[in-house]
Amino acid sequence: MQVALIAIYICVFLIPSVVVDILQYRHIALALTQRPVILPRADYIQAGKYALQKLKISISQHFFNALLFAFWILYGLCLVNDFIENYHLPRGKNLNCVAMILAFILISQILSIPFKYYTEMILDKRYGFSKQSNQTFVIDLLKGLGMTIVLGGAVLYLLVYTIYFFEYWWFYGALLSFVVIVLVNFLYPTWIAPLFNTFTPLKDENLQARIEGLLVSVGFKSSGIFIMDASKRDGRLNAYFGGFGKNKRVVLFDTLLDKVSSDGLIAILGHELGHFKYKDLLINLLVSGIFLFAVFFVIGQLPQSFFDELEIKKNAGNLLILLILLAPVISFWFLPVIGFFSRKAEYRADEFGSSLASKQALAEALIRLVNENKSFPSSHPAYIFFYYTHPPLLQRLKALDYEF
Ligand SMILES: [Zn+2]
């Protein structure tokens, strides 16, 4: 059974994801030998080289994750099970399960730190994105681990309880997880994001008046327009709306304010408002809900013999660990569905955003974003199919009738 599981992981997940990365690598390497499009030559080459480096990391991470998967299936699960059982740590069936899952998550996260460190502290620094000091990196890491233990622990306790309480636990477990996701989305802008960044209300009165006019015109109620100090970590630009109902916030990265004209900013915000107008966030949430139910359903069908062969008990802890181990395999084949609808929604939002400013303003702002973020303007169709939630810049510009 162990060998079969690892073989499935390799065939269904490792090989296809590495192949897609290699196709993308060859596509970009080839594009780099041709005439640059959209970006100036130096930026084009730099964006391409950055993308190639990231793909190399991604490919090695796929292999590392496969090794980690094999480790958990062959030895790790039994080790964690034995450890918690033998030492009766902590007391009580539910807490035992929670401790087991947390141990599994923390060990996996800690083993992946080198990849995170290399990407954020070495590669992103070399390309001038990251301004993070070692200290911020460590503090963020500790905050993240702390949140995993406290919030993750609380959610896991509820999940474990659900599994023991209901016969159709997979249904209620998925429902509970869905509620947690909705709640996190709701609380993120006001409770979670401020743990990592500082938010200050927008001071530019001119811009504020324009943005508020925009919000009123589409009936968007918010608790304010905020500037986030993104520049302390990263030079990349962004803007988003977070939260639901009156809890919504408009958040602009300070990096965006410096780099984009106010017309461009209105066009980008207009694009985001387009998502709001067409309820794209809700649709996204619903689709991720369907994914959750699918994953819980699959895990819910695993028979007792499956656990016997892995030499572990069929308890809530092991069920949830298997769920976390297998979720990426299932999501790899599910993401293209989300991507397909998401890319359609992006065109619609672009159209709406450009109607609030102008096609020209949005096109120029998008080029600015891509240039500053050093995203490579073209991609292999297979890579777009599997990973892209946004259409590549070239196609977005074409849809905006932009001449280049
Ligand atoms: Zn969008």
Side-chain angles (χ1 to χ4, degrees):
M1 176 57 82
Q2 280 94 332
V3 177
L5 264 180
I6 295 167
I8 291 174
Y9 184 96
I10 291 174
C11 296
V12 177
F13 186 41
L14 177 66
I15 293 176
S17 50
V18 169
V19 167
V20 171
D21 277 5
I22 291 174
L23 286 174
Q24 172 77 341
Y25 191 96
R26 289 177 49 180
H27 174 90
I28 293 178
L30 179 70
L32 276 178
T33 62
Q34 294 163 349
R35 192 177 65 87
V37 280
I38 301 171
L39 305 181
R41 179 164 203 93
D43 293 327
Y44 183 83
I45 289 175
Q46 215 193 7
K49 283 188 173 159
Y50 179 67
L52 293 181
Q53 290 290 335
K54 290 275 275 205
L55 283 165
K56 278 188 199 159
I57 298 179
S58 164
I59 293 171
S60 40
Q61 202 157 11
H62 288 317
F63 282 106
F64 173 78
N65 286 341
L67 281 176
L68 198 61
F69 182 85
F71 160 76
W72 284 116
I73 295 296
L74 292 173
Y75 311 104
L77 278 177
C78 290
L79 278 177
V80 173
N81 271 270
D82 290 348
F83 183 80
I84 302 281
E85 290 242 319
N86 292 340
Y87 292 93
H88 299 289
L89 286 170
R91 306 208 170 270
K93 186 171 73 171
N94 289 8
L95 282 177
N96 257 337
C97 286
V98 174
M100 234 168 71
I101 308 162
L102 279 180
F104 162 78
I105 295 176
L106 289 177
I107 292 171
S108 304
Q109 276 185 4
I110 290 167
L111 288 174
S112 308
I113 289 176
F115 286 103
K116 197 174 152 61
Y117 186 85
Y118 182 78
T119 311
E120 287 177 21
M121 300 303 291
I122 297 178
L123 191 63
D124 284 1
K125 273 207 171 139
R126 196 184 298 154
Y127 284 84
F129 289 131
S130 172
K131 291 164 192 134
Q132 234 183 143
S133 62
N134 277 328
Q135 199 188 352
T136 335
F137 180 83
V138 173
I139 292 174
D140 279 0
L141 207 67
L142 292 176
K143 278 183 194 166
L145 291 178
M147 284 218 324
T148 306
I149 294 174
V150 176
L151 291 181
V155 173
L156 286 172
Y157 189 86
L158 286 174
L159 269 175
V160 167
Y161 185 84
T162 308
I163 290 176
Y164 287 130
F165 192 79
F166 294 104
E167 194 192 337
Y168 292 100
W169 64 266
W170 63 266
F171 178 81
Y172 294 96
L175 193 65
L176 176 70
S177 312
F178 185 62
V179 170
V180 170
I181 290 181
V182 173
L183 218 66
V184 167
N185 268 289
F186 184 74
L187 297 178
Y188 184 81
T190 34
W191 290 91
I192 302 173
L195 292 177
F196 294 92
N197 283 95
T198 313
F199 292 81
T200 43
L202 176 65
K203 288 201 189 74
D204 183 337
E205 281 173 15
N206 236 330
L207 191 57
Q208 198 182 355
R210 278 188 81 178
I211 294 177
E212 266 164 14
L214 205 65
L215 298 182
V216 170
S217 72
V218 289
F220 183 93
K221 289 193 187 68
S222 86
S223 63
I225 303 157
F226 292 86
I227 307 294
M228 182 178 116
D229 61 340
S231 58
K232 82 169 176 187
R233 288 200 185 77
D234 202 298
R236 278 173 276 220
L237 325 175
N238 213 343
Y240 68 86
F241 296 109
F244 290 109
K246 280 191 191 145
N247 210 17
K248 286 194 297 288
R249 270 184 178 194
V250 178
V251 176
L252 308 172
F253 284 21
D254 54 356
T255 42
L256 189 70
L257 280 184
D258 299 340
K259 297 274 169 58
V260 175
S261 69
S262 54
D263 273 348
L265 202 71
I266 294 295
I268 290 173
L269 281 175
H271 167 100
E272 299 296 331
L273 277 176
H275 286 313
F276 163 74
K277 182 179 152 77
Y278 295 114
K279 307 211 172 11
D280 292 335
L281 275 172
L282 284 180
I283 296 170
N284 263 346
L285 217 56
L286 264 173
V287 178
S288 40
I290 295 172
F291 168 70
L292 263 178
F293 277 89
V295 177
F296 269 87
F297 176 77
V298 170
I299 301 297
Q301 309 312 308
L302 296 177
Q304 179 65 47
S305 56
F306 181 86
F307 294 85
D308 295 342
E309 288 200 43
L310 289 180
E311 293 170 36
I312 52 176
K313 278 188 190 159
K314 187 181 180 182
N315 61 23
N318 288 324
L319 278 170
L320 289 171
I321 289 177
L322 282 169
L323 189 136
I324 300 170
L325 274 174
L326 294 174
V329 184
I330 303 173
S331 86
F332 178 75
W333 293 99
F334 193 78
L335 281 178
V337 182
I338 297 184
F340 178 78
F341 289 108
S342 169
R343 290 192 299 272
K344 281 197 173 257
E346 290 303 325
Y347 283 122
R348 208 168 44 190
D350 273 353
E351 212 177 292
F352 186 74
S354 60
S355 76
L356 294 179
S358 68
K359 284 185 176 177
Q360 182 79 14
L362 181 59
E364 279 167 11
L366 285 175
I367 293 176
R368 194 76 217 230
L369 278 178
V370 162
N371 197 359
E372 290 293 330
N373 295 0
K374 298 194 177 72
S375 342
F376 197 69
S378 85
S379 282
H380 191 278
Y383 200 79
I384 297 173
F385 175 78
F386 276 101
Y387 295 116
Y388 272 31
T389 54
H390 290 61
L393 180 67
L394 270 174
Q395 284 161 23
R396 286 175 85 175
L397 292 179
K398 273 182 197 147
L400 290 168
D401 306 322
Y402 186 77
E403 304 275 343
F404 48 84

